[in-house]
Amino acid sequence: MGHWVGTFRPVIDSDPTTYWDSRANLYRAPAIAYLVLDANPNSWSIYDLGAFSQTLMLAATARGVQSVPSYELVKYPAIVRNALGMPADKVVAMGIALGYEKPEKPLNQFRTDRVATPQVLHIIN
Ligand SMILES: Cc1cc2nc3c(=O)[nH]c(=O)nc-3n(C[C@H](O)[C@H](O)[C@H](O)COP(=O)(O)O)c2cc1C
């Protein structure tokens, strides 16, 4: 995450108005998927939810829909719960904004890099 912030920062600084405006307005997304767990989720549930999130985003991508998983969408969970009529014992775990990017916007042209495969994959014979 530290590396991501470092590489994304110059992009933010090149157009801070758009970045902060986008964040403050829930990325101006036409739809947001809220992923919800029961209270006190165990590690397996959190693992499952992460896997589900990835599948949801891949399915969206396959349909030409872009996605942004973001803490910004869940940082005021009481407001989300209230707006969606969600029971108090549910945890608003993550939000994924869904929509169609404007490819000409520099913010949308940013692509994260990846560490070299050998840094994360160790094959033991
Ligand atoms: C759990 C989670 C929370 C995130 N929260 C934010 C956020 O609050 N603000 C933001 O700008 N990006 C946030 N991101 C990062 C972006 O949504 C995105 O995942 C990141 O740019 C990596 O993009 P990539 O899938 O192209 O590698 C978050 C990502 C994850 C996985």
Side-chain angles (χ1 to χ4, degrees), residues 73-87:
L73 302 168
V74 295
K75 77 177 175 188
Y76 300 113
I79 295 175
V80 174
R81 222 179 261 123
N82 194 31
L84 301 182
M86 203 181 285

Side-chain angles (χ1 to χ4, degrees), residues 45-82:
S45 302
I46 294 168
Y47 173 88
D48 282 348
L49 196 77
F52 177 80
S53 302
Q54 180 76 344
T55 304
L56 188 150
M57 290 189 281
L58 289 173
T61 302
R63 288 161 178 77
V65 174
Q66 284 77 52
S67 50
V68 183
S70 178
Y71 161 73
E72 288 301 319
L73 302 168
V74 295
K75 77 177 175 188
Y76 300 113
I79 295 175
V80 174
R81 222 179 261 123
N82 194 31

Side-chain angles (χ1 to χ4, degrees), residues 4 8 19 23 27 68-72 94 110 112 114:
W4 171 74
F8 194 32
Y19 179 73
R23 257 175 65 141
Y27 303 99
V68 183
S70 178
Y71 161 73
E72 288 301 319
M94 188 45 60
F110 175 72
T112 50
R114 296 287 185 267

